[in-house]
């Protein structure tokens, strides 16, 4: 089974993830346990990324006339299940209320990615400024060279 984590292309590439408390999280989300936030799908990782909605105006670019953002996606295949906290456990323990929606998992040890690739995520049309969740994100796989051609970084 593969797991995914998304990151801004403006951030440094990560060779090895170290558990930490995320800078951006839901109001009622745990602020004590260091973890690496993963999802079992790219869609889930996008839904769980507060970055997409919080940085919407300052990081957006246009690609083929569509407003969105470039993201780096890390995939993880060598995941020890004994170090993994499931969405069911996160909700049951009151640590992450939306874990079933995002399919968020926590990994509690250092973790090296198996692979890394890039996507362009189209910003969804929101009903209003207070809309917090989006059911589905449209995205395309892109080459790193596209990003480096001055479209984003």
């Amino acid at each position: 089974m593969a797991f995914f984590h998304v990151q801004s292309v403006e951030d440094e590439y990560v060779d090895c993830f170290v558990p930490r408390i995320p800078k951006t999280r839901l109001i009622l989300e745990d602020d004590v346990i260091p973890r690496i936030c993963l999802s079992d799908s790219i869609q889930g990782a996008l839904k769980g990324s507060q970055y997409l909605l919080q940085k919407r105006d300052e990081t957006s670019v246009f690609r083929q006339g569509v407003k969105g953002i470039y993201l780096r996606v890390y995939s993880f295949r060598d995941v020890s299940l004994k170090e993994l906290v499931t969405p069911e456990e996160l909700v049951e323990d009151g640590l992450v209320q939306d874990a079933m929606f995002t399919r968020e998992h926590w990994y509690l040890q250092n973790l090296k990615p198996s692979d890394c690739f890039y996507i362009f995520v189209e910003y969804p049309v929101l009903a209003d400024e207070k809309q917090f969740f989006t059911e589905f994100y449209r995205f395309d796989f892109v080459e790193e060279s596209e990003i480096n051609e001055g479209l984003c970084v």
Side-chain angles (χ1 to χ4, degrees):
M1 176 176 222
F3 293 92
F4 302 91
H5 178 89
V6 297
Q7 173 193 51
S8 168
V9 295
E10 297 172 356
D11 294 338
E12 293 265 336
Y13 176 85
V14 179
D15 288 316
C16 183
F17 284 80
V18 176
R20 65 176 178 80
I21 298 167
K23 294 175 191 168
T24 56
R25 57 190 181 283
L26 292 176
I27 294 169
L28 298 176
E29 188 172 332
D30 177 82
D31 62 355
V32 176
I33 302 170
R35 71 276 196 167
I36 302 164
C37 299
L38 307 171
S39 182
D40 55 13
S41 72
I42 296 172
Q43 272 301 326
L46 292 171
K47 290 177 191 178
S49 174
Q50 302 304 309
Y51 186 86
L52 281 171
L53 295 177
Q54 291 179 349
K55 303 286 185 177
R56 182 183 177 103
D57 292 326
E58 57 194 78
T59 59
S60 62
V61 296
F62 284 90
R63 177 179 182 262
Q64 300 171 350
V66 176
K67 187 176 183 179
I69 186 173
Y70 287 100
L71 294 176
R72 182 179 294 119
V73 180
Y74 296 92
S75 67
F76 303 87
R77 290 187 199 88
D78 301 322
V79 175
S80 169
L81 297 181
K82 68 181 179 180
E83 299 296 338
L84 195 67
V85 182
T86 67
E88 293 80 9
E89 294 169 310
L90 292 173
V91 170
E92 184 178 307
D93 294 343
L95 299 170
V96 182
Q97 273 60 40
D98 70 339
M100 295 304 290
F101 176 72
T102 63
R103 299 297 303 152
E104 182 171 337
H105 294 67
W106 285 1
Y107 200 74
L108 305 177
Q109 297 294 320
N110 292 359
L111 186 62
K112 290 187 176 202
S114 305
D115 194 15
C116 172
F117 51 91
Y118 298 88
I119 60 175
F120 176 81
V121 183
E122 180 180 331
Y123 278 128
V125 176
L126 302 177
D128 61 51
E129 292 178 2
K130 294 180 179 144
Q131 181 178 343
F132 196 67
F133 292 115
T134 298
E135 188 62 36
F136 179 79
Y137 284 97
R138 291 184 148 157
F139 65 89
D140 292 319
F141 294 93
V142 297
E143 296 295 325
E144 183 177 12
S145 60
E146 178 178 320
I147 299 165
N148 294 332
E149 288 172 358
L151 295 175
C152 182
V153 179

